[in-house]
Amino acid sequence: MAARGAWAARSAVVLLPSGLMLLLGAWGIRRQDAIWRDEAVTYDMAHRSLADLWPTLQHVDVVHGLYYALMHLWFRVYDIALGGAFGEAVGLRLPSVAAMTAAAAGVALLGERLVGRRAGLLAGCTFALIPVVQQYAQEGRSYATVCALVVWASYLLVAAAARPRRTLWLGYTALMLVACLLHEFASLALPAHGAAVILARLPRRTRRAWLLSSATVLAGLAPLAVFSTRQSAQISWLMWPDPVQLLTFAVLAVLGLACARVRVRSRGPIGLRALGIPLLLLPTLLLLLLSHVEPAYVDRYVLYYVVGFALLAGAALARLLRPAGELGQTRGRRLRRMTAVAVVPAALLPVNVHLRSPDSRVDDVTAIAHAVHEVAEPGDGLLFMPSRRRIWRATLPDDFRGLRDLAQAESPLASHTLYGTERSGEAIHDRMLAVRRIVVAGDPDGQPADDNDQEIAKRSTLHTAFQVCRTLQVRGARITVYGRAGACGGPGPRRRPGRQRGP
């Protein structure tokens, strides 16, 4: 009976956090079928054949190549098994939900190994309740999977420190290598793990094993890292870090350090603080330092830093919410503490609701495609301004059917690029003058304008030869119909009953 009770208690440590994460990941996963531009890139690349994907990666997005290949295989299964019954948005996000569910289970087991079952349970639940975790659990990108791999690699590191085995070190090496191949900045977890090894004062043999594993991971990553430097222009859009993202990190860092001050007893050679504090602080701080050389900071690149916070918070909560009577704690004092802790998820509820709305991302590709379909007439010209916004048509190409892309020279698929190639500025000018109406899918006001010949030709020709007929504002875009003199009064727009429009 005692053994059965112990098994049930340990199962609860895993099942409760992972079940909570699964429920939160499934809640509002469709996001009203809104897909934002990065997810549209995933959708487009995952639906290319592997023979087409490889030459594309030689030109662009090689850092996400492994993820796109895995998503290609996933969609083969998803489309066959479910026949698209749940929609493309769900198909895009289900792997991330599964990854975050696995991450929550890993955080719980890691907390249990470092401190105890109650700390593990609360660490896993804390992880699941963090808004940024819920955000990337519902996003068709690699960040949730990278986070899960770093969590389980951390677990194997702690296990190998307590009882060194070759299989544990091989598992740690494999998980970290796959995480780095999915996203290069997963390598910033290695300094955090190294700090934990040093702070724990592990035996020399264990330190050498970790160094060998880290060197193997970096050696395996090196060819991809060197090749990807040729595509560094892809992150040229990055400027100084987003203040909201910096504030999120600052709040979690301060709270995590405060939780670290609560006395807890670690159970193994690597202590809670030795792992939790470096994992919370080092990846983000190193990425910020790197950004002083070349802008590179986006919080999702080092999303796994929240694992450090969850571990520290879980251990602190386990001590603060210990049963009444334990260590002299009164029942009333424990009740007050539980009430105070329960207020936090309630206060975060509006944030979590917002994350499940189309307005939570920078744009809404679905609303943009529907808006184009609403205002366009068969035979209209079509322009994307700038050209990289051509990704807006990737998920719903039928909404653009019958329109002539006046600037496109080669499609994204034919050119092995993300956005296709465009004609010269002079050719675009001539083709624009050959049509009476043009639908322009462009950035909203306030965005910097590209200054290449093609974009200059688009803007100048619209200004001198066309007039604005109609404008729709949708999330992250402005859809404008331009017409030559007398061309704005044609038949009414095509409408699609029962389909939602952008705001």
Side-chain angles (χ1 to χ4, degrees):
M1 290 294 293
R4 183 178 299 177
W7 181 87
R10 185 159 196 193
S11 298
V13 171
V14 176
L15 294 177
L16 287 177
S18 57
L20 176 62
M21 187 69 254
L22 182 60
L23 287 174
L24 291 173
W27 169 36
I29 188 174
R30 296 182 71 104
R31 209 160 61 235
Q32 300 178 31
D33 289 326
I35 294 173
W36 79 289
R37 67 183 67 152
D38 279 12
E39 290 183 303
V41 171
T42 297
Y43 179 87
D44 179 34
M45 298 291 273
H47 281 81
R48 299 187 186 191
S49 68
L50 295 179
D52 287 320
L53 183 59
W54 173 243
T56 302
L57 296 176
Q58 296 180 52
H59 292 95
V60 67
D61 243 7
V62 69
V63 293
H64 298 296
L66 177 59
Y67 176 69
Y68 294 148
L70 293 175
M71 288 298 289
H72 172 85
L73 298 177
W74 158 249
F75 270 112
R76 296 271 309 258
V77 174
Y78 177 76
D79 291 340
I80 294 173
L82 300 177
F86 296 101
E88 303 297 349
V90 175
L92 271 170
R93 294 164 190 154
L94 275 179
S96 293
V97 173
M100 278 305 192
T101 301
V107 170
L109 288 176
L110 188 53
E112 179 194 30
R113 185 152 200 140
L114 290 172
V115 181
R117 287 178 183 170
R118 193 187 314 153
L121 175 64
L122 291 170
C125 291
T126 298
F127 176 81
L129 291 171
I130 298 172
V132 72
V133 169
Q134 297 181 41
Q135 176 180 349
Y136 291 107
Q138 295 187 338
E139 195 143 295
R141 300 295 280 174
S142 65
Y143 310 110
T145 305
V146 170
C147 183
L149 290 168
V150 170
V151 167
W152 283 97
S154 301
Y155 180 84
L156 292 182
L157 173 67
V158 172
R163 189 177 179 185
R165 291 190 205 171
R166 181 176 297 178
T167 53
L168 293 176
W169 286 117
L170 288 175
Y172 171 80
T173 305
L175 290 179
M176 282 305 305
L177 179 57
V178 174
C180 292
L181 292 176
L182 283 171
H183 199 280
E184 292 178 6
F185 287 132
S187 60
L188 295 179
L190 291 174
H193 290 162
V197 169
I198 293 171
L199 292 173
R201 299 181 180 179
L202 297 177
R204 182 176 299 177
R205 179 182 176 185
T206 304
R207 295 200 300 269
R208 284 201 301 263
W210 177 81
L211 284 171
L212 178 60
S213 291
S214 298
T216 302
V217 171
L218 294 177
L221 176 63
L224 175 64
V226 171
F227 189 84
S228 67
T229 58
R230 305 178 188 178
Q231 301 176 3
S232 59
Q234 277 193 265
I235 58 172
S236 61
W237 59 273
L238 287 174
M239 302 299 288
W240 184 245
D242 184 294
V244 175
Q245 295 180 7
L246 282 179
L247 179 61
T248 300
F249 166 68
V251 169
L252 291 181
V254 170
L255 290 176
L257 291 175
C259 291
R261 294 176 61 85
V262 177
R263 289 186 178 183
V264 295
R265 180 178 296 177
S266 296
R267 303 174 65 179
I270 293 183
L272 170 72
R273 296 183 186 89
L275 178 63
I277 293 176
L279 200 54
L280 170 62
L281 299 179
L282 280 184
T284 299
L285 293 178
L286 289 173
L287 189 56
L288 285 171
L289 286 175
L290 178 62
S291 293
H292 283 282
V293 179
E294 181 177 354
Y297 177 78
V298 181
D299 63 348
R300 57 183 179 265
Y301 292 173
V302 287
L303 175 64
Y304 48 85
Y305 82 87
V306 300
V307 175
F309 169 77
L311 292 172
L312 294 168
L317 288 171
R319 182 166 179 82
L320 294 174
L321 301 179
R322 59 194 184 278
E326 187 177 314
L327 298 178
Q329 182 181 214
T330 65
R331 188 183 302 272
R333 187 177 182 184
R334 181 171 184 263
L335 181 60
R336 287 193 296 272
R337 286 179 173 178
M338 292 180 65
T339 302
V341 170
V343 168
V344 176
L348 292 175
L349 184 59
V351 177
N352 293 328
V353 171
H354 172 71
L355 289 175
R356 289 157 176 81
S357 73
D359 292 343
S360 63
R361 272 52 172 191
V362 298
D363 60 7
D364 180 353
V365 172
T366 304
I368 292 167
H370 292 348
V372 168
H373 183 86
E374 178 178 336
V375 303
E377 299 174 7
D380 282 350
L382 174 66
L383 289 176
F384 292 95
M385 297 177 61
S387 61
R388 57 184 174 274
R389 300 298 176 246
R390 190 169 281 108
I391 195 62
W392 285 339
R393 72 182 299 172
T395 58
L396 291 172
D398 287 347
D399 279 4
F400 296 83
R401 194 177 302 278
L403 305 180
R404 296 169 53 198
D405 192 331
L406 302 175
Q408 180 174 277
E410 281 189 298
S411 69
L413 183 60
S415 61
H416 301 302
T417 62
L418 290 180
Y419 315 120
T421 59
E422 295 203 333
R423 303 172 188 273
S424 67
E426 183 178 354
I428 292 173
H429 169 79
D430 293 340
R431 288 170 64 85
M432 290 173 67
L433 294 180
V435 298
R436 297 178 67 248
R437 283 172 33 112
I438 299 175
V439 178
V440 176
D443 283 339
D445 292 333
Q447 297 297 310
D450 289 11
D451 58 358
N452 56 57
D453 289 343
Q454 289 88 347
E455 299 303 322
I456 292 174
K458 295 173 190 177
R459 292 195 298 269
S460 62
T461 307
L462 288 172
H463 178 72
T464 57
F466 290 83
Q467 61 186 22
V468 175
C469 301
R470 184 182 181 189
T471 298
L472 287 181
Q473 300 287 346
V474 296
R475 179 66 181 171
R478 181 177 58 186
I479 311 302
T480 307
V481 179
Y482 288 86
R484 304 295 293 273
C488 288
R494 297 179 292 175
R495 296 192 178 273
R496 187 180 302 198
R499 301 189 68 169
Q500 294 185 349
R501 308 296 177 195

